[in-house]
Amino acid sequence: MAASRRAVLIAGVALAGPAIAGAQAWPGERPIQIIVPFPPGGGTDVNIRAMVPHFERHLRGARFVVMNRPGAGAEIGYTAMAQAAPDGHTIGTVITPSLQTITIERQPRYTLDDFAFLGSVVEDPSAFQVAPDSPFRTVADLVAFARANPGAVSVGTAGIGSDDHLLMIGLERAAGIRLNHIPFAGQAPTVTALLGGHIQVASMNMGESMSLIRSGRVRPLASAGAERFPMTPDVPTFREAGYALDTRVVRSLVVPAATPQPIRERLADMLAATMRDRAWISEAERLEIPLRYLNAEDTRALVYREAEALRRLWAEQPWRDQ
């Protein structure tokens, strides 16, 4: 019996040997790619590219390259992350709620279980924004008009199932109104439509809209965070308007689930060190990136908790019908 157990143990060590040796040699000379599931120049892309030099300081010997894999509402990039070799040379950037809503709306070639979470870096509340000369001065103005004119208020979003869209659905449900959803392929065409008078409201994240807000091109009615957005303390929340809406983007980093634990831990430590780094915090402030760090365990719990809430919403009101 004892001999049998020893044989099993020796066999296990032999099988684990290559993985342990690989983890010890990592990262080596080969660069680590970071997949961004959106086009260059967007908020996620700018955020990650700005973090790369800090990653390289906190993971000695590593080099990083950013690879943009946009398409299908981020599904192409998410699939590439899930199917990458689990050798520590591919990291992915994921965004909630799109990571979860895609798995609820359809059957992609990934599941949430295909990812190991390293931690989150950003929390950016959704918001309703209007043109500077809009007659809507408050959420109450918008709700009153929408009640009197069902479907007359057009709301532009970055796409079906995005946090922008979910905020619109949330207000409809909470206020008992009907809005007209106009999905676009990202923020830029949404802003163009708003400033051209083709839509009355743009649902966009506060952090990614800061340059537009500062320049006076858009005016936020309210943000959907639990508290007022720190960069715009004069902008009320939907909660203050009487609607308990909590809708936002959380930006996190992942690796393929089968990545060896020692490598996952070193990457998670790199991320934690970067998020504590005063140089990165100062740069993020300059870029107006709304940082919020959650560790690997807390990030995973958040993603799965939100996924369950989104499944319940889909069962009651499929957002593809909106």
Side-chain angles (χ1 to χ4, degrees):
M1 190 75 154
S4 175
R5 281 200 299 271
R6 277 198 304 273
V8 170
L9 178 59
I10 291 169
V13 171
L15 288 172
I20 293 171
Q24 290 173 340
W26 179 88
E29 297 182 0
R30 180 179 160 200
I32 299 171
Q33 69 169 350
I34 306 178
I35 295 176
V36 173
F38 303 103
T44 301
D45 182 70
V46 169
N47 180 175
I48 294 304
R49 289 180 187 276
M51 294 186 85
V52 162
H54 304 278
F55 288 164
E56 291 177 342
R57 284 209 326 276
H58 292 291
L59 185 61
R60 193 175 300 276
R63 292 184 300 118
F64 292 85
V65 325
V66 177
M67 305 291 291
N68 297 91
R69 296 291 300 274
E75 182 180 346
I76 289 175
Y78 294 158
T79 302
M81 298 172 205
Q83 296 181 351
D87 57 7
H89 285 93
T90 300
I91 300 176
T93 307
V94 299
I95 307 295
T96 68
S98 72
L99 180 69
Q100 302 102 314
T101 56
I102 289 171
T103 67
I104 295 169
E105 296 171 6
R106 49 194 186 267
Q107 293 185 319
R109 291 177 295 160
Y110 75 86
T111 71
L112 298 183
D113 293 339
D114 289 327
F115 303 104
F117 295 87
L118 302 177
S120 65
V121 299
V122 160
E123 182 176 304
D124 195 353
S126 315
F128 269 16
Q129 323 255 7
V130 295
D133 59 353
S134 170
F136 302 139
R137 308 303 301 180
T138 64
V139 172
D141 292 342
L142 186 154
V143 168
F145 183 86
R147 281 179 178 155
N149 303 273
V153 177
S154 293
V155 179
T157 75
I160 294 171
S162 64
D163 63 298
D164 313 323
H165 185 202
L166 295 177
L167 173 58
M168 188 203 90
I169 292 174
L171 183 61
E172 286 183 317
R173 289 163 62 92
I177 59 176
R178 182 164 58 85
L179 303 170
N180 180 26
H181 181 218
I182 310 294
F184 292 94
Q187 185 189 72
T190 307
V191 173
T192 299
L194 178 68
L195 299 183
H198 305 295
I199 57 175
Q200 288 75 53
V201 178
S203 185
M204 303 186 295
N205 296 99
M206 288 295 289
E208 291 194 359
S209 303
M210 282 309 303
S211 63
L212 297 166
I213 295 170
R214 297 242 190 257
S215 66
R217 297 179 67 201
V218 303
R219 175 168 50 83
L221 287 183
S223 70
E227 300 175 348
R228 292 193 178 197
F229 191 59
M231 299 177 200
T232 54
D234 56 330
V235 177
T237 65
F238 279 93
R239 288 178 183 271
E240 292 176 76
Y243 305 105
L245 301 175
D246 182 11
T247 310
R248 70 268 192 270
V249 155
V250 174
R251 196 174 292 153
S252 307
L253 294 181
V254 300
V255 291
T259 302
Q261 185 67 23
I263 291 177
R264 287 160 53 179
E265 289 176 355
R266 288 183 65 187
L267 286 168
D269 289 346
M270 172 203 74
L271 179 59
T274 297
M275 294 298 287
R276 292 191 302 265
D277 190 327
R278 188 63 236 178
W280 163 240
I281 293 170
S282 296
E283 186 172 2
E285 289 172 352
R286 179 181 64 80
L287 295 171
E288 297 185 306
I289 297 172
L291 298 181
R292 187 194 180 205
Y293 173 68
L294 292 176
N295 65 26
E297 182 179 348
D298 290 344
T299 299
R300 184 182 189 281
L302 171 71
V303 168
Y304 279 81
R305 185 169 63 248
E306 287 189 351
E308 186 55 38
L310 288 165
R311 288 189 193 97
R312 290 195 298 269
L313 174 60
W314 178 265
E316 297 172 7
Q317 187 174 0
W319 49 78
R320 278 207 169 275
D321 297 342
Q322 304 302 306

